[in-house]
Each structure stands twice: as C-alpha cells, then as structure tokens.
Amino acid sequence: TGTEAAATIGHSLSQTPDWFMIKSLETHSPNGYWIIWHKSFAANQLIYWNLDIAIDSSTTMFNNTLPTSSVINLGSNFNTNMSGDKMICYAWHEVDGYSKFGTYTGNNSTDGPFIYTGFLPAYVLIKRVNGADDWYILDNAREPNNPKSLYLEANTTNPEATAGAKDFLSNGFKIRDTNFGNLAESYIYMAFAEHPFV
C-alpha cells in the first residue's frame, strides 16, 4: 500500500533486481503509468511501459536511490507510491540460461547487431530508450521459424503487425533489418529462454 513518503519494499529475490516495474491498482488504474527501472539506468531514471516516449528522470519515483539485494526504494511520486492505493511490483534478476535483461546499440543496417543471451530465446521485448518508439514483442509461439517479422506493441492496442526481420539463435538474437529495434541508438531488452539450461 502506497504512502507517498520515502519507503522501501522487499523484492524477495536472491540478488539485486535487473528490471522491475510498478503500478497503482486503484486510483490511477487503468490510466496510471507502468514505471520501469532497468539495470542500465541511474537511480533517477525510468521509462514508461505504456508510453512510447524516451527515458525520463525523476528523483521522486525511487527516492533517487538504486535498488539493493533486499529492497526497492520508493519516493513520494504517486506513480510508484500513491497514498492509500494498492500497488503492484514485478521484479526480475538475470538467471544464466533462463533470462537476460540487457542493452545494445543498433547500427541501422540490414546486418544488424547480434545480442548474446546465452540461450535460444522464446520471448524478446525491445524498447529504444533515447527516442520515441514502441515496446516491441517478438516470440516463437506466433512465429516458430526465422526470421521473426510478426510483432506486437506492449504499449498499444494495435493488432499484430509485420515488419523487419529478426532471428532467434541458439545463444541470442540477431537483427537483420533497419526497421524497429535497429536505429543507430540505444535499446533495452528483456529475453526469456525457450528451453532453460538451469
């Protein structure tokens, strides 16, 4: 339950989170924001899961304090700590052979970057962090074979669309187009394995 005052919440993970997201379940739902922190961000940086805008900054979302191996810090901002509201938080850390939360830089080429995950992905979520772009979802359930060109947008209600080409490989994924996910800019991603090694 939110307080709009500096606080901490236990995340119960075995190490510091690499990715977490928080949202109010009440007053600002469903119009409130999903607030995401990624391990490449500073303590005052965040990005909105339900918007297509670039990385943002606020000292009041996480009390300008990085998460630790035991807690996530909250500040006075209603998006992460609305007074009297029930709040929800999802948090992950990387597990070798199972999940990866990383960054990469696009090259705006049909021979795009290879992103090493250490496993064959089943699901990949991609977002450009320094510009307006949607949250793109690729997976092997809707499109078992390479290249992957079907995608969904996590931040919109748009139907499935087709663009570009990405390959899911035994140890990562490869960008093979100049469409979404491959401008010469920075991206964050979340990936989960098809057959976890551990």
Side-chain angles (χ1 to χ4, degrees):
T1 301
T3 63
E4 287 187 58
T8 61
I9 52 172
H11 52 65
S12 300
L13 300 177
S14 59
Q15 63 192 60
T16 302
D18 293 312
W19 180 305
F20 65 82
M21 52 194 191
I22 300 175
K23 187 181 187 299
S24 167
L25 294 175
E26 299 186 70
T27 305
H28 293 275
S29 180
N31 299 316
Y33 296 123
W34 280 101
I35 307 299
I36 288 180
W37 181 87
H38 182 272
K39 67 179 182 179
S40 65
F41 295 174
N44 67 335
Q45 291 181 310
L46 62 125
I47 198 162
Y48 300 92
W49 196 24
N50 47 319
L51 298 176
D52 65 0
I53 63 176
I55 193 171
D56 199 0
S57 63
S58 168
T59 59
T60 62
M61 292 286 190
F62 313 123
N63 204 29
N64 205 29
T65 307
L66 291 171
T68 72
S69 59
S70 58
V71 299
I72 291 169
N73 293 276
L74 302 177
S76 59
N77 194 292
F78 66 85
N79 284 293
T80 56
N81 196 12
M82 181 68 183
S83 180
D85 273 19
K86 291 179 181 177
M87 309 292 295
I88 191 165
C89 175
Y90 295 99
W92 296 265
H93 68 76
E94 288 184 358
V95 176
D96 288 343
Y98 175 77
S99 59
K100 189 78 171 174
F101 307 92
T103 63
Y104 69 89
T105 301
N107 63 6
N108 202 33
S109 166
T110 53
D111 184 17
F114 165 73
I115 296 89
Y116 176 81
T117 61
F119 52 77
L120 172 64
Y123 172 97
V124 176
L125 175 70
I126 299 170
K127 172 71 171 84
R128 181 164 57 115
V129 295
N130 50 351
D133 214 347
D134 291 309
W135 290 83
Y136 297 112
I137 298 172
L138 303 166
D139 64 76
N140 66 358
R142 291 175 300 121
E143 197 166 28
N145 300 317
N146 287 325
K148 314 291 185 195
S149 58
L150 297 176
Y151 68 91
L152 295 168
E153 297 168 347
N155 59 298
T156 76
T157 57
N158 294 338
E160 179 181 80
T162 303
K166 278 79 175 164
D167 287 348
F168 283 8
L169 305 172
S170 62
N171 58 352
F173 60 99
K174 168 78 173 174
I175 313 292
R176 299 193 182 280
D177 62 79
T178 57
N179 290 294
F180 70 88
N182 194 26
L183 297 175
E185 297 187 32
S186 297
Y187 293 82
I188 58 173
Y189 71 87
M190 166 192 283
F192 291 96
E194 178 174 5
H195 299 295
F197 294 134
V198 292

